[in-house]
Amino acid sequence: MSLALELSECSVSFWIPTGVLAVALAIKLPTIIRLWKEPLLRAVGGLLLLACCVFVFVTPSTIAWTNRVTGVPNISAPWVYSLLTAFSGSCLLLIIAWRNGLSDRSSATRRAMRWVISVYSGVIVALWVLFALADTPVERLRDLDTYYADTPFMREEILLYLLAHTLATVITSRLIWNWVRTDGLDAWLRWGLKFLGMGYATQLVFDAAKLTAVVARWTGHDLDLLSTDVAPPVACLSAVLIAVGFILPHAGQYLHDRWRVRLAHRELGPLDQLMRTVDGHRAPLLLRAAPELRLTRRETFIRDALLPLARHVDDDLRTRSHDAALALGHGPQRAKALAEAVAILDAVGAVGSGGRAADGDEAGHPDPTDLLREIGAVSRALRHPEVIDAVRARAAAAAEAAGPPLPHRR
């Protein structure tokens, strides 16, 4: 009963990283399908799929099922070792291609990739040959590495897969941490690489625990708990960190872009409200539309309303307001936005609340290009009416000091 409970708990712990890796694969999958011709994306998808397979087939329940279906005791061993070796080699290939870029076809890059493919393919073949030569009649679900550590051919097989995994982990970790220190990386990519680096560094703890337990068996000591109790949770933690490392650059950039779109839509709110008083309409309400579409609709509505209103903008007032904002200590960009806001509010007052801008000849009126381009900054300025009132008051005082105002242009 206690053994069954122990195996059940171990299986549950292995399904956790499997779920996380599956989520990472699901997040990447739409991009992989959309950009299927991109080799790096396919490689990432293949790597995550391999990692999922490792944790599916390493669970004691799956090991027992595989052995039972094939009728060969412990055949899961070379199968899991092969998956883990393929995963190790794929990590190296991905990091080499990702770090150097697919455009790098130098002889050193090609030689490194050929070396990885040939060495790790040879290791997988050797694993199956050694298993065929070994004698493993007793099925072991959790402690095969230590139980058969002294068995001819299985001893070499266990050592071979651990050394191949350790070598790949050391090289991959070094490449990643060297890449993290590179200047000019995107913030999300840098954090993703840091999680990948931590994940591969944690794999070294897994390798150290396994190797220590195996070597202890060779010297007549019993440190099996390092292999059966310490290594599995470390492997789970490593898988979670690696999955986060692959998810973060994609998901982080996606969420960042969505946040920027929503923020831009929200920032245009004050100017949108003001333009409704002029146009008498509002941008179409699209509850199920994508944020990008809602932003485009709002920008279009504001510009359509501003275009006829621009002929009522008092250019002299805008100039005085700009000088007033500078005099109040605002920076050039902020002063320009405040001046545009004051001029737009004046034009809205000239047109009349709820009315429409009159049609007429646009000749002689100021160019509205800057006004239409700076709607975001103007809308942000409208959020601070007390600042606009201060600029307006100072501009009015400057006008009075300069003499009688010119007639308002019609």
Side-chain angles (χ1 to χ4, degrees), residues 215-228:
V215 172
R217 279 279 186 165
W218 295 348
T219 58
H221 298 84
D222 184 357
L223 294 178
D224 290 7
L225 62 88
L226 290 176
S227 178
T228 57

Side-chain angles (χ1 to χ4, degrees), residues 9 17 51 90 153 192 220 230 240 291 301-302 322 338-339 347 350 354 400-401 408:
E9 290 176 350
S90 298
F153 300 111
V230 175
V240 171
F301 167 75
I302 290 173
H322 183 264
L338 288 169
E400 291 179 1
H408 186 75

